[in-house]
Amino acid sequence: PITPGELLCLGSSLAFSGLFYYLYRRKASVVARVQEAPKLQVDDNLPALVSAADGRCLPYVALEGIVLPAKAALTSHYHDGLQGVIQKLLLKEHRLIWNSLARSW
């Protein structure tokens, strides 16, 4: 004899498993598309290639080329001759509004 509580637990377990498998498969297809992205060189032909694409946009491409620092390159303290640059980041903070009902920002 199976109790209704056991059936409820079994049903919810199957529902969650199905949901997580669906999310996994969706993300796995995106990862596969990114891994199969064509590798392009940063050169003079790149603007012409972008303008010739549909909607002037190239979805999922890997750009390879030399990066020049804006000021000075960062040097590693641990490996001689290893240099790097920092990508400029833009941080946008959302405005905080006091919620008097929840008494929180």
Side-chain angles (χ1 to χ4, degrees):
I2 299 176
T3 64
E6 291 174 341
L7 284 177
L8 179 67
C9 289
L10 178 65
S12 63
S13 175
L14 288 174
F16 280 122
S17 296
L19 173 69
F20 291 140
Y21 183 72
Y22 167 75
L23 293 174
Y24 165 76
R25 294 298 304 161
R26 202 169 89 183
K27 296 298 179 186
S29 67
V30 171
V31 168
R33 286 192 323 192
V34 169
Q35 288 178 343
E36 296 169 357
K39 295 180 181 174
L40 303 176
Q41 295 292 326
V42 178
D43 55 7
D44 295 334
N45 298 334
L46 187 61
L49 186 64
V50 171
S51 63
D54 292 337
R56 300 187 62 166
C57 179
L58 296 173
Y60 298 122
V61 296
L63 294 176
E64 295 177 341
I66 297 174
V67 177
L68 300 175
K71 294 181 183 175
L74 300 172
T75 57
S76 174
H77 296 287
Y78 305 107
H79 300 285
D80 293 334
L82 188 62
Q83 294 182 338
V85 296
I86 296 178
Q87 179 182 358
K88 186 182 278 188
L89 298 176
L90 175 66
L91 178 65
K92 181 178 180 181
E93 294 186 22
H94 297 284
R95 198 173 112 198
L96 294 177
I97 300 174
W98 176 255
N99 185 349
S100 61
L101 182 63
R103 295 190 180 270
S104 67
W105 288 100

